[in-house]
Each structure stands twice: as C-alpha cells, then as structure tokens.
Amino acid sequence: MPPNTTASSGQQPGKSGRKKGRKARLFLIVLVLAVIGGIAFGGYWGISTVRASFPQTTGSIRLDGLSGPVTVQRDGNGIPQIYASSDDDLFMAQGFVQAQDRFYEMDVRRHMTSGRLSEMFGEGQVKNDEFLRTLGWDRVAKKEYDTKLSASTKKYLQSYAKGVNAYLKGKSGEDISLEYAALGFTNDYKPTRWTPVDSVAWLKAMAWDLRGNMQEEIDRSLMTSRLGPQDIADLYPEYPYSRNKTIVRTGAYDSVTGTYSRTGTASTSAAGTGLTGNTAAPTGFQSQLSGLYKVLDGLPTAVGVNGNGIGSNSWVVAGSHTITGKPLLANDPHLSASLPSVWYQMGLHCTAVSAECQYDVSGYTFAGMPGVVIGHNADMAWGMTNSGVDVTDLYLEKITGEGYEYDGKVLPFTTRKETIKVAGGASKTIVVRQTDDGMPLLSDRDDELVQVGKKATVDAGAPDRGDGYAIALRWTALDPGNTMDAVFEMDKASNWTEFRKAAASFEVPSQNLVYADGAGNIGYQLPGKIPTRAKGDDGSLPSPGWDSKYRWTGYIKQSALPYEYNPQRGYIVTANQAVVAPDKYPYTLTTDWGYGTRSQRITDLIESKTKGGAKISTDDMRQMQLDNSSEIAKLIVPKLLAINVADKDVRDAQKLLEGWDYTQDSDSAAAAYFNATWRNILKLAFGNKLPKELRVKGQCLWVDRVDSTGPADEGQKVRECGERDADQAQPDGGDRWFEVVRKIIDDENNDWWKSPKPRRTSVTGKDNPIDTRDELFGQAMTDARWELTAKLGKDIDTWSWGRLHRLFLKNQTLGTEGPRFLQYMLNRGPWNLSGGEATVNATGWNAAGGYGVVWVPSMRMVVNLQDLDKSKWINLSGASGHAYSAHYTDQTEKWAKGELLPWAFSKKAVDKKTADTLELKP
C-alpha cells in the first residue's frame, strides 16, 4: 500500500460536513454536466476529478518517515490542530496537511518565486518569469538555506518538505486538484517534489509585496512630466505628527551608546544618515519610467496589491484597561483579496513540551511554509503590520562597453544565463546582469526601460549618457538573511526578552511587531534590515549609480531600532503610521509613511472606551475592528452641505448627507453618495492633472502637449489615454489624499480647485470653467448624482454603499485567466461590504478606478491573554483550496458580517470542538 493511502478507512469528508459535502458534490456534478455537458470530458470532470482531490480527514494514514504517531483534529470549519511527540513529526505533519488542502496554491507560489510560471501557464507568463529570474528570489533563498539558516531551521524545513512529498507520492495531477485537470487539457504539466528552498523563497514574495516606498519613488518621478516640484510636494505632504500619534511615544535614541532605550537622550544627527531631501539626485525619470511600472504591475500578487496602498491594523491593550485584567491583542492585516485566502489557520502542538518537542502554538500560517507567522503560544501573542520602511532604491547606471562606471572606473557586470521553459512552446534564454553589490539591471527586461536611460534628466556632472543609462535595483531582500529562523524563534518565545531576540532575526520584510503575554506585559518592536544612506540622500528619488556617495552606508543596528515596553498609557497602536517622531530619532526610516488616519481613529476609540475607568472586552476589540467611520467625510461634508445647489435632483442627493453619522455601512445611501462625490472631487482637482502613466487605462483627456523633458508646449492639445489598471491608478483616495485635501480645504481659491471642465447645473448653471473650491465641490456632487443614477437607478431610496462596494473572490490563476466556465466553477461572490478606504474596517477601493473592493482585512483575530480559549479568529475564505469543498469559503459570510469564530487552544477545548480526527502513523 502506498504511504499516503488509508490503512483503515476510505477517503471521506468529515462528519461535520457530510451533508454539506454530499450536497456540494451533487451540485457540482449537475453544474459541470450542465456547463460543459457538450464537451466530451464533462462527465469525467464531474465525477472523477473533483471527488478525487478531496482530502482524507478521518481514519488513519501511514507515512514513511514519521518517528511516532501524529493526530490531526479538525473542527467544524476544517481547521486542523496537529499533535505530535517530536518537532520533526510535527512539521512533517504540517507539510502533509497543508498539501492536502492547498497544494495547488503552494505549487503556483513556488513557480512564481522561482520565475517558472511559464512551465504551468504558457507563453503569457514569459515576461513575468524574465523579471522574476532577474530578481533571482529562488537563488537568494538557496543561499539563505545553504549559508544563513540555523541547523534546527533547516531540519524543520526538511521535515516539512518530507510531509508534502508524502502527500504527493503516487498521485496524479487530477488526484490533487481540479486546476491540474484543467491544465492537463493544454499541457502535460506534472507536479514535482517539494524542496526546503521552495518554502524559504516564499518569504521573498512576501517581502516584495511589502517592500516599502518603491511605488512612491516611481510615481513621483512620473509626475515630473506634468507637474512642477511644488505641485509634487503638495501631493506628498509631510506626516502630521502633531495630529496623528506615532507608534512609539516613549524613549529615544541614545547618541552615547548608539542604541534606542526607554530613557535615551534624543539626537537628530548621526554619522552616515540624512534627514534632508535627496537634493542631489536626478530630477526625475520622466514619464518613460512607466516601463518599470508596467513590469511591476504585471507581476502576480503574492500577499498584497503589488505594494500599493495597503495597510494593516494591530493593537494591544494592557490589563489595566481590560475586563479580564490581562492584555487583549487584535490584528487584521489588509491584503489583496484572493481565493483561497493567503492565510491558513492551524495549531501545532507537542503532546508534551520538551527539548525534543518545543512547540505549542496556534495561528495563521502560509501554505507552503512551516511554522506559524501570526498568532499565540501558551505564553504570549503577537501581531504584525507593515512598517513601510524604505528598503529599496532605484539607480541609474552608466553602461560602458561590457561594464558600468563607478567612481571614474569601469567595473564588469556579473552575468548569468537563465533558461525559461514554456508549456506548449519553445524555451527562452535570457542574460541577467548585476553590479558588484548584487543590483540586477531591471532595464534589461523591458524595452521601455531602455528609453528611461536615454531621456532621464540628470545633473550636469553626470557622465555622458551615450546610448543611455540602465536602471538597477538595490533591495535588502536580495541579500541572504535568516528571517526563517525568526519564525520558529517567535513561535516558541515565552517572554519579552526571547521575543525581541527572535525579532532581531526578522530581517525582511520589516514589520511592526506587537506583543502581549500572560504575565500582563505589552510591547512593540520594529525589526528589519534597514539601510542607512549618505547625508542628503533620503531614498525618496532615484539616485546616480556612478557616484559611491549614493550607495548605502550600512544598516541600522538592531539595538538602535525603536521599541516600546509597558508604556504608561496602557496601549500600543500600529496601523502603518510613522513609527517614531523625527526629533527622537536620527535615522530616516522612510519619507512615505501611511498618514495615520486609521491609527488615530483606533487610538481615539481606545481612549473613549476607557474614559472614566471603563474596561475593554474581547467583543469591544472586535467592534473596533469593524469601525466604518469616514474621517474624510467629517472634514468635507459640512462644506458640501453649505453649497446652494440649484438642480433639484442633485439637491435630493445632497440631502442624504444631512444628519449622516459618517459611518459607511453596507446599506447606507449617504455613504454611497459621499464616496461618489469624494471620487469626483479627486478626479476634478487632481486626477485629470496627472500624467497618463498614473491615470486609469482607457480614460482619455485632451491635454497640453509635453516634450520629453516635461515643459508644456502651450496651445497644442493632444488626446492622452490613461495606462494603469483601475485598482492601481491615482488618485487612489487613500489617507495621503485625505492629507492633501486637508491642507488646502480652507483655501477656497487654491490652484488645485481650478479645472477647465465646464460646470453644468450644480450651483449657478453657468457654462464656465471651475475656479473655486465650492464650484468644484458642486460639480463633483452633480457628477456623483448622475454617476449613481446610472449605476444604482434614479430613485435614491434604493441606493446603498454595498451595491457599489462589492467583493469578488477569484482563484488567482485559472479564475482570472481561464475559460469562462472554469472561472464560474472556481470563483465566488459578490459580497456587499461595509467599510472603506482608510477606515479601521479597511475594505479598500481605488477612487480613480471605481468602487469595487481591492483589498481587505485578510483575517481578523483577537487574543485573550487571560484565557486563550476565549480568543476569537476568522479567515477571509476557508481552510480548503478545493473548489466545492465544504470549507472553500465557509468563513466568508461570517467574515463579511464582522463575526469571529471561537479559537480553541487547550487540548480540552480542541477536543470539544473536534469534528474529524485523522491518525498519521509511521
């Protein structure tokens, strides 16, 4: 009998889902036969393919390589809790179980990180593979595995891979998932064995989507073709330190010891760092930098929206403010919506914690990677939000012959050949060039990037451009590190000291780490490999690669990174705001923080709930996660209501805002109308003035002609159409745009309010250009009224925010590019959602492109440190990656309503909730 077949019972769905499972399978058979009944293989798909891929969750399975028995207990939602007597068995079982539920997802991820998507999906992925091969994520991951990771981490990775391969043994593609059967009709792809490096490489994809300010660096450069320096500065205002609190508020950098301490002496000057703008950098890559953007935009999304606009919430409240007397910790990372969810819930438990078996941890994992990424163990809990620190820089490189210029000398490139295999086509070989410090030339991968080097503006002292400059990328994740070590160290940390030690290994991506323990302590630590730059270079613009003074000067010491422990205020909030005030810290972490709208709202909610000595409950934390309040509405609505609108239909819509409490509930007509008005304010004031590379694809305007260096050629109009996907365009309406508008809201004659578009009937009915704020606001209200009439109907009583603001969950491969019938089978939705952009309940949408949901709270959790079994959690979709499994999207409806599931941790609580039990035997 093969090692992954049953020894005592056949494959069957769990008892909790048998009725649902039978109904799902019967429905699937009918559906498949109806949809593809005319295709010869319709019957084959309906019966053989789908049922074959469902995992066995009861009975027993023998696995070669186990040293002892392992128990897998799944609850009514299919969430597994694994019990083993050794670390190796625990992680082998984790690999086996995750492969049961999610192997297709795991396989796609490893092909993405290694630049091998073309092997699965054909020539349409060649450009992506070329770019990913140039970055070389899998090569860096192999170096990490070979040279950086601890012996124990490598052992765990090997055990995990052994478990995945035990699942794969003896299985064909259609035995594993529906998607493989679909691929089988177009190519002969067969899944291959899993390796430890496949797991490590996933961290690179995670780092890429959370890479910091690279997109802002590109966008600022693109703006130079249409906007002057002051205009661009207007669109990137400084962080409002006086209004929105930083994460760390106590302690300071100690200039004597070079460390951050709770009682340090603040210093704002440090050798090798700069706090001023990048004044000597090239003045811009001009609009031709769109070539780089197009390459980045085309890459598959790993965990975020290609680095744009996303955020997360995590906060912790000390026992002095809670009903339980112990800390409560909440976390909800905001990531792109995917099916299945990027997260996989799981518990990893040693039957007895000892030197041979060290783990008792539960939380959110990534399918394809051992350990728990976010969650809690028996002693402490932790959460994460993206810090957004600047760990990427773009460089112009002067090419001379076979090398590049550097401080007056010509240095040779390091080169390698990469062969890309293409399903159904011929292989393609590319040459990757790197500088001596490991910077790959991105311009080798796109013809438009070559034009960047030919036209980019540089200082007079730059070397002659000749045939142009190349574009190279410096990024911390391209250096081997040991973040994988940190995952295991955090999973077993029992106190603040051990947690900080583990965080020191968490190099890439840099995350805000929030901590709480059962002893009553709370804390925050900024980890990460964060570069220092020469004075005058803040990393906000591309830099000249031929001058060594623009190379990184080193990295901030771990002991100098900001942290906070048991602050007197009794809570810590992280929501992508500034980490620390610049007068308390000498290093430039980034110039592109989130602007603190969500973090300040959470802070205000905590302070209001604890006013007068009141205490916060677990459910209070959940309710805070669902807060829909629109901060920009509070600022703008009074101005909108003060406008005298002449058009009756527009006036009827304006009345919706009277008495509105600014909450964006799904059934709110006022929220629908306000957000439509906000979208049109942004379009009129800012969007129509941005270059085509930032505007929505297909939206066309007549604009002044510009030459290659930017100045307008007055009097000559050209028709320019936008080039960005709708969910990536600007202005996206996030809290940066809140701050832009806040700065000029009381300046009624500011130039940004001027627009050449004639007003229709909003205020006076005159057919004149817009010159003032109220004229623009009136036009926006008019445009919003007729936009919603077209989308939702003329009767405003039928309007609701949720009808505009909908979530579709799509399989990230065949669910977006496959045949229509296959998309129908794999995708789910829509759900009408509450929340919105830069609210705590951050169901993000892009105001330039429309109202559809583009990122979400990808999971929510609230950990109760007084009684871990009273903690709560939810996932965006479900445990299973198998379409028509009872657990494919069984959590989504509850997630959409803001509900949380019980989160059992103790053996007694897990036993009580167990629906299925599977024994894995040696």
Side-chain angles (χ1 to χ4, degrees), residues 556-594:
I556 302 174
K557 295 188 303 182
Q558 291 294 319
S559 60
L561 291 172
Y563 75 94
E564 201 163 39
Y565 186 60
N566 288 333
Q568 188 173 3
R569 64 183 180 277
Y571 63 86
I572 300 171
V573 175
T574 79
N576 317 110
Q577 77 271 40
V579 171
V580 62
D583 61 346
K584 292 185 177 181
Y585 201 63
Y587 298 99
T588 301
L589 297 171
T590 186
T591 58
D592 293 298
W593 301 113

Side-chain angles (χ1 to χ4, degrees), residues 823-901:
Q823 293 185 38
Y824 183 82
M825 294 175 70
L826 296 175
N827 299 340
R828 299 292 183 270
W831 287 267
N832 297 349
L833 297 188
S834 301
E837 183 62 44
T839 62
V840 181
N841 185 20
T843 54
W845 56 287
N846 186 297
Y851 305 97
V853 177
V854 294
W855 61 83
V856 294
S858 56
M859 62 81 158
R860 297 186 183 101
M861 74 175 194
V862 179
V863 182
N864 182 329
L865 274 301
Q866 190 271 331
D867 185 346
L868 292 170
D869 287 330
K870 293 181 179 178
S871 301
K872 305 283 187 179
W873 62 352
I874 197 81
N875 204 355
L876 173 63
S877 58
S880 179
H882 298 284
Y884 300 100
S885 161
H887 306 308
Y888 192 47
T889 56
D890 59 335
Q891 298 185 51
T892 308
E893 189 66 30
K894 289 182 170 61
W895 172 92
K897 294 177 181 178
E899 298 176 13
L900 297 176
L901 299 173

Side-chain angles (χ1 to χ4, degrees), residues 250-293:
T250 59
Y253 178 80
D254 191 318
S255 58
V256 176
T257 63
T259 63
Y260 196 92
S261 68
R262 299 172 70 183
T263 58
T265 302
S267 169
T268 56
S269 62
T273 65
L275 298 175
T276 60
N278 189 354
T279 57
T283 57
F285 276 35
Q286 304 302 321
S287 62
Q288 292 80 18
L289 194 61
S290 62
L292 175 58
Y293 177 81

Side-chain angles (χ1 to χ4, degrees), residues 75 505 546 668 681 837 856 910:
D75 66 10
S505 298
W546 49 81
S668 171
I681 287 172
E837 183 62 44
V856 294
V910 169

Side-chain angles (χ1 to χ4, degrees), residues 609-744:
K609 288 180 179 293
T610 57
K611 190 175 182 179
K615 304 293 184 179
I616 292 177
S617 68
T618 300
D619 196 59
D620 288 332
M621 299 284 275
R622 180 188 70 86
Q623 292 286 354
M624 290 164 64
Q625 289 179 323
L626 304 179
D627 183 78
N628 293 321
S629 177
S630 171
E631 297 304 299
I632 193 63
K634 294 175 184 178
L635 179 70
I636 291 180
V637 166
K639 309 290 186 185
L640 298 177
L641 291 175
I643 295 173
N644 182 19
V645 176
D647 187 291
K648 179 183 181 300
D649 290 317
V650 179
R651 173 61 185 145
D652 287 344
Q654 184 188 36
K655 288 179 181 178
L656 291 172
L657 304 178
E658 296 176 356
W660 180 42
D661 63 359
Y662 309 119
T663 59
Q664 300 171 99
D665 294 330
S666 176
D667 60 359
S668 171
Y673 182 58
F674 170 75
N675 282 318
T677 301
W678 169 238
R679 164 173 149 83
N680 281 281
I681 287 172
L682 290 170
K683 181 179 179 181
L684 291 169
F686 309 106
N688 290 347
K689 301 166 187 175
L690 296 177
K692 65 181 183 296
E693 294 84 5
L694 274 69
R695 300 200 312 269
V696 175
K697 188 181 297 181
Q699 291 185 2
C700 304
L701 300 170
W702 286 94
V703 298
D704 291 332
R705 182 185 299 276
V706 297
D707 63 27
S708 61
T709 58
D713 190 356
E714 291 187 20
Q716 296 189 39
K717 298 286 187 180
V718 294
R719 188 171 183 264
E720 283 189 353
C721 299
E723 298 180 349
R724 282 204 178 170
D725 288 343
D727 62 356
Q728 302 281 311
Q730 293 293 337
D732 62 20
D735 67 352
R736 173 164 68 88
W737 294 99
F738 290 15
E739 194 64 21
V740 169
V741 170
R742 188 186 297 275
K743 292 281 188 182
I744 64 173

Side-chain angles (χ1 to χ4, degrees), residues 452-490:
V452 175
K454 291 181 177 179
K455 299 182 178 181
T457 302
V458 294
D459 291 339
D464 180 76
R465 75 176 71 242
D467 291 331
Y469 303 120
I471 297 174
L473 170 68
R474 185 79 170 98
W475 178 34
T476 54
L478 297 184
D479 299 328
N482 58 342
T483 301
M484 199 72 235
D485 287 339
V487 173
F488 296 110
E489 290 168 4
M490 284 195 292

